Short mmCIF file of all heavy atoms in Angstrom, two decimals:
data_model
loop_
_atom_site.label_atom_id
_atom_site.label_comp_id
_atom_site.label_asym_id
_atom_site.label_seq_id
_atom_site.Cartn_x
_atom_site.Cartn_y
_atom_site.Cartn_z
N GLN A 242 -17.13 -25.52 29.59
CA GLN A 242 -16.46 -26.47 28.69
C GLN A 242 -16.70 -26.09 27.24
O GLN A 242 -15.81 -26.26 26.38
CB GLN A 242 -16.98 -27.88 28.97
CG GLN A 242 -16.45 -28.48 30.24
CD GLN A 242 -17.08 -29.86 30.54
OE1 GLN A 242 -18.22 -30.12 30.16
NE2 GLN A 242 -16.32 -30.71 31.26
N SER A 243 -17.87 -25.54 26.92
CA SER A 243 -18.14 -25.11 25.52
C SER A 243 -17.23 -23.93 25.15
O SER A 243 -16.83 -23.78 23.97
CB SER A 243 -19.62 -24.75 25.37
OG SER A 243 -19.92 -23.56 26.05
N LEU A 244 -16.91 -23.07 26.14
CA LEU A 244 -16.00 -21.96 25.87
C LEU A 244 -14.62 -22.46 25.43
O LEU A 244 -13.93 -21.81 24.63
CB LEU A 244 -15.88 -21.07 27.10
CG LEU A 244 -17.08 -20.20 27.49
CD1 LEU A 244 -16.78 -19.45 28.78
CD2 LEU A 244 -17.40 -19.23 26.37
N GLU A 245 -14.20 -23.58 25.97
CA GLU A 245 -12.91 -24.13 25.60
C GLU A 245 -12.85 -24.40 24.10
O GLU A 245 -11.83 -24.10 23.44
CB GLU A 245 -12.65 -25.42 26.38
CG GLU A 245 -11.32 -26.10 26.02
CD GLU A 245 -11.10 -27.38 26.80
OE1 GLU A 245 -11.95 -27.75 27.63
OE2 GLU A 245 -10.08 -28.04 26.55
N TRP A 246 -13.91 -24.97 23.56
CA TRP A 246 -13.93 -25.26 22.11
C TRP A 246 -14.06 -23.99 21.26
O TRP A 246 -13.51 -23.92 20.15
CB TRP A 246 -15.07 -26.26 21.80
CG TRP A 246 -14.83 -27.57 22.43
CD1 TRP A 246 -15.38 -28.07 23.57
CD2 TRP A 246 -13.88 -28.56 22.01
NE1 TRP A 246 -14.88 -29.31 23.89
CE2 TRP A 246 -13.94 -29.63 22.95
CE3 TRP A 246 -13.01 -28.65 20.94
CZ2 TRP A 246 -13.16 -30.77 22.80
CZ3 TRP A 246 -12.23 -29.77 20.80
CH2 TRP A 246 -12.31 -30.83 21.71
N VAL A 247 -14.76 -23.00 21.80
CA VAL A 247 -14.81 -21.69 21.11
C VAL A 247 -13.41 -21.09 20.95
O VAL A 247 -13.04 -20.62 19.88
CB VAL A 247 -15.75 -20.73 21.84
CG1 VAL A 247 -15.62 -19.33 21.27
CG2 VAL A 247 -17.18 -21.21 21.79
N MET A 248 -12.64 -21.18 22.05
CA MET A 248 -11.31 -20.59 22.02
C MET A 248 -10.32 -21.41 21.16
O MET A 248 -9.45 -20.86 20.53
CB MET A 248 -10.79 -20.43 23.44
CG MET A 248 -11.54 -19.35 24.18
SD MET A 248 -11.21 -19.26 25.91
CE MET A 248 -12.35 -17.94 26.38
N LYS A 249 -10.50 -22.72 21.12
CA LYS A 249 -9.68 -23.53 20.26
C LYS A 249 -9.92 -23.15 18.80
O LYS A 249 -8.98 -23.14 17.97
CB LYS A 249 -9.98 -25.02 20.49
CG LYS A 249 -9.39 -25.55 21.79
CD LYS A 249 -9.67 -27.04 21.96
CE LYS A 249 -9.06 -27.57 23.24
NZ LYS A 249 -9.32 -29.01 23.46
N GLN A 250 -11.18 -22.88 18.46
CA GLN A 250 -11.49 -22.47 17.10
C GLN A 250 -10.90 -21.08 16.80
O GLN A 250 -10.43 -20.82 15.70
CB GLN A 250 -13.01 -22.45 16.87
CG GLN A 250 -13.45 -22.00 15.48
CD GLN A 250 -12.87 -22.83 14.38
OE1 GLN A 250 -12.74 -24.04 14.53
NE2 GLN A 250 -12.52 -22.19 13.26
N GLN A 251 -10.92 -20.19 17.79
CA GLN A 251 -10.34 -18.86 17.62
C GLN A 251 -8.85 -18.98 17.35
O GLN A 251 -8.30 -18.28 16.48
CB GLN A 251 -10.57 -18.01 18.87
CG GLN A 251 -12.00 -17.51 19.02
CD GLN A 251 -12.20 -16.69 20.29
OE1 GLN A 251 -11.35 -16.72 21.19
NE2 GLN A 251 -13.31 -15.99 20.38
N ILE A 252 -8.18 -19.85 18.06
CA ILE A 252 -6.73 -20.06 17.86
C ILE A 252 -6.48 -20.57 16.45
O ILE A 252 -5.57 -20.08 15.75
CB ILE A 252 -6.18 -21.06 18.91
CG1 ILE A 252 -6.16 -20.41 20.28
CG2 ILE A 252 -4.80 -21.52 18.53
CD1 ILE A 252 -5.80 -21.35 21.42
N LEU A 253 -7.28 -21.54 16.02
CA LEU A 253 -7.13 -22.08 14.67
C LEU A 253 -7.34 -20.99 13.60
O LEU A 253 -6.59 -20.91 12.62
CB LEU A 253 -8.12 -23.24 14.47
CG LEU A 253 -8.10 -23.91 13.08
CD1 LEU A 253 -6.78 -24.57 12.81
CD2 LEU A 253 -9.23 -24.92 12.98
N SER A 254 -8.37 -20.17 13.80
CA SER A 254 -8.69 -19.11 12.83
C SER A 254 -7.54 -18.09 12.74
O SER A 254 -7.18 -17.67 11.62
CB SER A 254 -10.00 -18.42 13.21
OG SER A 254 -11.08 -19.32 13.20
N ILE A 255 -7.01 -17.69 13.89
CA ILE A 255 -5.94 -16.70 13.90
C ILE A 255 -4.67 -17.29 13.26
O ILE A 255 -4.00 -16.62 12.46
CB ILE A 255 -5.64 -16.23 15.34
CG1 ILE A 255 -6.87 -15.52 15.91
CG2 ILE A 255 -4.43 -15.29 15.37
CD1 ILE A 255 -6.75 -15.25 17.39
N GLU A 256 -4.37 -18.55 13.55
CA GLU A 256 -3.19 -19.19 12.94
C GLU A 256 -3.35 -19.28 11.42
O GLU A 256 -2.39 -19.00 10.69
CB GLU A 256 -3.00 -20.60 13.54
CG GLU A 256 -2.47 -20.59 14.96
CD GLU A 256 -2.26 -22.01 15.49
OE1 GLU A 256 -3.05 -22.89 15.13
OE2 GLU A 256 -1.33 -22.19 16.31
N ASN A 257 -4.55 -19.61 10.96
CA ASN A 257 -4.76 -19.70 9.53
C ASN A 257 -4.68 -18.33 8.87
O ASN A 257 -4.21 -18.20 7.73
CB ASN A 257 -6.13 -20.33 9.23
CG ASN A 257 -6.13 -21.84 9.41
OD1 ASN A 257 -5.03 -22.45 9.39
ND2 ASN A 257 -7.27 -22.44 9.59
N GLU A 258 -5.13 -17.29 9.56
CA GLU A 258 -5.02 -15.95 9.01
C GLU A 258 -3.57 -15.51 8.90
O GLU A 258 -3.17 -14.91 7.89
CB GLU A 258 -5.80 -14.96 9.88
CG GLU A 258 -5.97 -13.61 9.23
CD GLU A 258 -7.02 -12.74 9.94
OE1 GLU A 258 -7.68 -13.21 10.87
OE2 GLU A 258 -7.15 -11.57 9.54
N LEU A 259 -2.78 -15.85 9.88
CA LEU A 259 -1.34 -15.55 9.80
C LEU A 259 -0.66 -16.37 8.71
O LEU A 259 0.23 -15.87 8.02
CB LEU A 259 -0.68 -15.82 11.15
CG LEU A 259 -0.99 -14.80 12.26
CD1 LEU A 259 -0.53 -15.29 13.62
CD2 LEU A 259 -0.30 -13.45 11.95
N ASN A 260 -1.08 -17.62 8.53
CA ASN A 260 -0.55 -18.43 7.46
C ASN A 260 -0.93 -17.87 6.08
O ASN A 260 -0.12 -17.88 5.14
CB ASN A 260 -1.05 -19.87 7.56
CG ASN A 260 -0.27 -20.67 8.59
OD1 ASN A 260 0.94 -20.55 8.69
ND2 ASN A 260 -0.98 -21.46 9.38
N PHE A 261 -2.17 -17.33 6.00
CA PHE A 261 -2.59 -16.71 4.73
C PHE A 261 -1.69 -15.49 4.43
O PHE A 261 -1.27 -15.29 3.27
CB PHE A 261 -4.05 -16.30 4.83
CG PHE A 261 -4.51 -15.49 3.66
CD1 PHE A 261 -4.73 -16.06 2.44
CD2 PHE A 261 -4.76 -14.12 3.80
CE1 PHE A 261 -5.15 -15.32 1.34
CE2 PHE A 261 -5.19 -13.36 2.73
CZ PHE A 261 -5.37 -13.96 1.48
N LEU A 262 -1.44 -14.67 5.43
CA LEU A 262 -0.57 -13.51 5.24
C LEU A 262 0.83 -13.94 4.84
O LEU A 262 1.51 -13.22 4.08
CB LEU A 262 -0.52 -12.66 6.52
CG LEU A 262 -1.83 -11.96 6.91
CD1 LEU A 262 -1.64 -11.25 8.25
CD2 LEU A 262 -2.26 -10.94 5.83
N SER A 263 1.27 -15.10 5.32
CA SER A 263 2.60 -15.62 5.00
C SER A 263 2.62 -16.39 3.68
O SER A 263 3.67 -16.88 3.28
CB SER A 263 3.11 -16.54 6.13
OG SER A 263 3.13 -15.85 7.35
N ASN A 264 1.42 -16.58 3.07
CA ASN A 264 1.30 -17.30 1.82
C ASN A 264 1.80 -18.73 1.96
O ASN A 264 2.56 -19.27 1.16
CB ASN A 264 2.10 -16.59 0.71
CG ASN A 264 1.65 -17.02 -0.67
OD1 ASN A 264 0.50 -17.42 -0.87
ND2 ASN A 264 2.55 -16.98 -1.64
N GLN A 265 1.35 -19.38 3.04
CA GLN A 265 1.76 -20.76 3.29
C GLN A 265 0.56 -21.56 3.86
O GLN A 265 -0.44 -20.99 4.29
CB GLN A 265 2.94 -20.84 4.26
CG GLN A 265 2.66 -20.22 5.63
CD GLN A 265 3.93 -20.12 6.46
OE1 GLN A 265 5.02 -20.42 5.99
NE2 GLN A 265 3.80 -19.69 7.69
N PHE A 266 0.69 -22.89 3.83
CA PHE A 266 -0.39 -23.76 4.24
C PHE A 266 -0.16 -24.29 5.64
O PHE A 266 0.87 -24.90 5.93
CB PHE A 266 -0.50 -24.95 3.29
CG PHE A 266 -0.90 -24.59 1.88
CD1 PHE A 266 0.05 -24.53 0.88
CD2 PHE A 266 -2.22 -24.25 1.58
CE1 PHE A 266 -0.31 -24.19 -0.44
CE2 PHE A 266 -2.57 -23.89 0.28
CZ PHE A 266 -1.63 -23.88 -0.72
N ASP A 267 -1.08 -24.06 6.54
CA ASP A 267 -1.22 -24.74 7.81
C ASP A 267 0.12 -24.98 8.53
O ASP A 267 0.40 -26.09 8.96
CB ASP A 267 -1.91 -26.07 7.59
CG ASP A 267 -2.54 -26.62 8.86
OD1 ASP A 267 -2.75 -25.82 9.79
OD2 ASP A 267 -2.79 -27.84 8.94
N ALA A 268 0.94 -23.93 8.66
CA ALA A 268 2.19 -24.05 9.38
C ALA A 268 1.95 -23.65 10.84
O ALA A 268 1.16 -22.74 11.11
CB ALA A 268 3.27 -23.17 8.75
N PRO A 269 2.62 -24.28 11.81
CA PRO A 269 2.43 -23.89 13.21
C PRO A 269 2.98 -22.47 13.46
O PRO A 269 4.03 -22.10 12.89
CB PRO A 269 3.24 -24.95 14.00
CG PRO A 269 4.23 -25.46 12.99
CD PRO A 269 3.57 -25.39 11.63
N ILE A 270 2.31 -21.73 14.28
CA ILE A 270 2.72 -20.35 14.60
C ILE A 270 3.40 -20.40 15.97
O ILE A 270 2.75 -20.60 16.99
CB ILE A 270 1.53 -19.38 14.61
CG1 ILE A 270 0.80 -19.42 13.27
CG2 ILE A 270 2.01 -17.97 14.93
CD1 ILE A 270 1.63 -18.99 12.09
N LYS A 271 4.69 -20.18 15.98
CA LYS A 271 5.41 -20.13 17.24
C LYS A 271 5.19 -18.77 17.90
O LYS A 271 5.28 -17.75 17.25
CB LYS A 271 6.94 -20.35 17.02
CG LYS A 271 7.27 -21.71 16.41
CD LYS A 271 8.76 -21.85 16.19
CE LYS A 271 9.11 -23.19 15.55
NZ LYS A 271 10.53 -23.34 15.30
N ARG A 272 4.90 -18.78 19.20
CA ARG A 272 4.64 -17.53 19.89
C ARG A 272 5.08 -17.63 21.35
O ARG A 272 5.19 -18.73 21.90
CB ARG A 272 3.19 -17.10 19.81
CG ARG A 272 2.18 -18.00 20.54
CD ARG A 272 1.51 -18.92 19.59
NE ARG A 272 0.30 -19.55 20.11
CZ ARG A 272 -0.34 -20.52 19.48
NH1 ARG A 272 0.07 -20.95 18.32
NH2 ARG A 272 -1.42 -21.02 19.99
N THR A 273 5.30 -16.45 21.92
CA THR A 273 5.69 -16.35 23.33
C THR A 273 4.45 -16.43 24.20
O THR A 273 3.39 -15.94 23.85
CB THR A 273 6.40 -15.01 23.57
OG1 THR A 273 7.53 -14.93 22.75
CG2 THR A 273 6.84 -14.89 25.03
N LYS A 274 4.60 -17.11 25.34
CA LYS A 274 3.51 -17.21 26.31
C LYS A 274 3.52 -15.93 27.14
O LYS A 274 4.41 -15.72 27.95
CB LYS A 274 3.69 -18.43 27.20
CG LYS A 274 2.54 -18.70 28.14
CD LYS A 274 1.61 -19.73 27.57
CE LYS A 274 0.57 -20.12 28.58
NZ LYS A 274 -0.29 -21.21 28.15
N PHE A 275 2.52 -15.05 26.93
CA PHE A 275 2.48 -13.77 27.61
C PHE A 275 1.79 -13.90 28.95
O PHE A 275 0.92 -14.75 29.16
CB PHE A 275 1.72 -12.74 26.77
CG PHE A 275 2.39 -12.37 25.51
CD1 PHE A 275 1.91 -12.86 24.29
CD2 PHE A 275 3.50 -11.56 25.49
CE1 PHE A 275 2.53 -12.55 23.10
CE2 PHE A 275 4.13 -11.23 24.29
CZ PHE A 275 3.65 -11.73 23.11
#
Side-chain angles (χ1 to χ4, degrees):
Q242 286 175 331
S243 70
L244 288 177
E245 179 181 358
W246 294 102
V247 170
M248 289 171 184
K249 286 181 178 179
Q250 179 58 37
Q251 286 179 345
I252 290 173
L253 179 63
S254 298
I255 297 170
E256 287 181 326
N257 283 340
E258 191 166 354
L259 286 168
N260 280 319
F261 173 72
L262 293 176
S263 303
N264 199 28
Q265 58 189 5
F266 295 102
D267 201 20
I270 304 298
K271 297 179 181 179
R272 65 262 196 188
T273 301
K274 186 97 171 185
F275 294 105

